[in-house]
Amino acid sequence: MRKIVHRHLGKVVAGAAVAVAGTAVMIGITLPGTAGADDTGGGKAAAGQPAAQAGQGADGAVAPGVVEQAPATEGEKGKGRDPLTDDEIQRVEKIAVNPQLLNASEDVEGDRGPERLTVDLADPKVGELDDPDAPRRADVTFYDYRDDTLVTRTVDLDTGKVVATGTQHGVQPPLSSAEYAEAASLLIADPLGADLKADYKDATDKELTDPNQLLLTGAVYRAVPGGQPAVLDKCGEHRCVRLFPKVKNGPWIDARDFVIDLSARKVAKLES
């Protein structure tokens, strides 16, 4: 790692892009700005998996509606198929995380409550396609690190009800900025992060102590038979990431050999 950044400052962006593209074919990752079979943008279909239908859970069973306390002031509302307003996003986030979900789940740092991933305007039902007054609904997706579950809750914006809840295992949508930051924190704190810190010092003459010193992107990593040490065999069931860190106003740092298992909070180096 250190050799690449130190010797190729200024050329590392192009070089890393070529190298990363080649690596993606061998180990099945998704690069920033691309979508593969396991990773899709947004969160509506949860990384290539069918999203739970309105009123149904992942097993096809009808999920009961859950009435939540609506905020006193609902704020700005959109109409029809308009994008969700900021007020609507904030409101559905509060409605979707009821006390039961809040107390029974964990985010990426191990704190109470699930890790929020996306909030999107839900697709209309078949019979509502030409109805200008069709209900506006929002799909809110969370990742629960307590048991590695992707949770999708559909909220009716007019009634303030959760009208569908779906849960899926082994589904790994794109990561949130909080997950990238936590992955970088784990790598920086691990002995395997020594090269990353050395490269950062070479590029900036400063010590790397905090993920906020880096611009972070990355990709979900799934285990491939024979392609990683045994400690990473659960990646795919666990939430694992390969980071593509960049020095702010500086070069990319090649960290592709390292995988951070956010579920197990472990760092491992891929076998060459």
Side-chain angles (χ1 to χ4, degrees):
M1 180 196 295
R2 182 170 183 164
K3 182 177 178 182
I4 292 175
V5 175
H6 185 67
R7 292 184 56 193
H8 298 287
L9 280 169
K11 296 184 179 179
V12 71
V13 173
V18 174
V20 169
T23 306
V25 176
M26 294 187 288
I27 47 183
I29 64 167
T30 301
L31 303 180
T34 67
D38 295 322
D39 307 301
T40 58
K44 293 183 180 179
Q49 298 282 342
Q53 297 297 317
Q56 293 185 346
D59 57 0
V62 176
V66 179
V67 180
E68 301 294 341
Q69 183 66 41
T73 302
E74 295 185 357
E76 184 182 357
K77 294 182 180 181
K79 296 181 179 179
R81 301 301 299 161
D82 289 346
L84 294 170
T85 66
D86 290 342
D87 289 329
E88 286 176 322
I89 290 173
Q90 292 175 10
R91 180 171 178 245
V92 299
E93 285 178 341
K94 292 178 181 178
I95 293 172
V97 184
N98 61 5
Q100 181 180 0
L101 179 60
L102 179 67
N103 292 322
S105 59
E106 292 182 2
D107 65 14
V108 68
E109 297 181 358
D111 295 329
R112 188 179 66 155
E115 185 69 33
R116 185 184 71 78
L117 300 180
T118 60
V119 181
D120 297 297
L121 186 68
D123 292 328
K125 296 180 180 180
V126 174
E128 300 172 344
L129 293 175
D130 297 321
D131 182 0
D133 298 319
R136 279 170 64 82
R137 306 181 190 91
D139 288 332
V140 190
T141 60
F142 305 93
Y143 197 85
D144 181 1
Y145 277 88
R146 180 181 59 83
D147 58 2
D148 285 293
T149 301
L150 181 71
V151 180
T152 303
R153 309 199 88 182
T154 302
V155 176
D156 187 309
L157 288 158
D158 292 328
T159 66
K161 293 181 180 180
V162 175
V163 295
T165 297
T167 59
Q168 296 170 287
H169 292 274
V171 178
Q172 298 297 340
L175 296 119
S176 68
S177 58
E179 289 173 308
Y180 286 137
E182 187 63 15
S185 292
L186 291 171
L187 181 57
I188 291 169
D190 194 274
L192 289 174
D195 285 344
L196 172 67
K197 291 187 283 189
D199 288 339
Y200 184 87
K201 183 155 185 150
D202 282 348
T204 66
D205 202 30
K206 297 179 181 178
E207 301 294 334
L208 176 61
T209 59
D210 189 284
N212 290 322
Q213 295 171 257
L214 299 166
L215 297 176
L216 296 166
T217 57
V220 169
Y221 176 83
R222 287 182 173 271
V224 177
Q228 66 279 318
V231 70
L232 297 176
D233 283 347
K234 287 193 174 182
C235 287
E237 175 186 346
H238 284 185
R239 194 130 166 92
C240 300
V241 59
R242 297 176 79 191
L243 287 174
F244 309 135
K246 183 181 183 298
V247 177
K248 289 185 176 180
N249 300 315
W252 295 89
I253 297 177
D254 187 358
R256 291 169 297 145
D257 287 345
F258 303 100
V259 175
I260 301 94
D261 184 334
L262 289 169
S263 300
R265 302 186 67 79
K266 294 181 179 179
V267 179
K269 186 174 182 179
L270 294 173
E271 298 170 351
S272 56

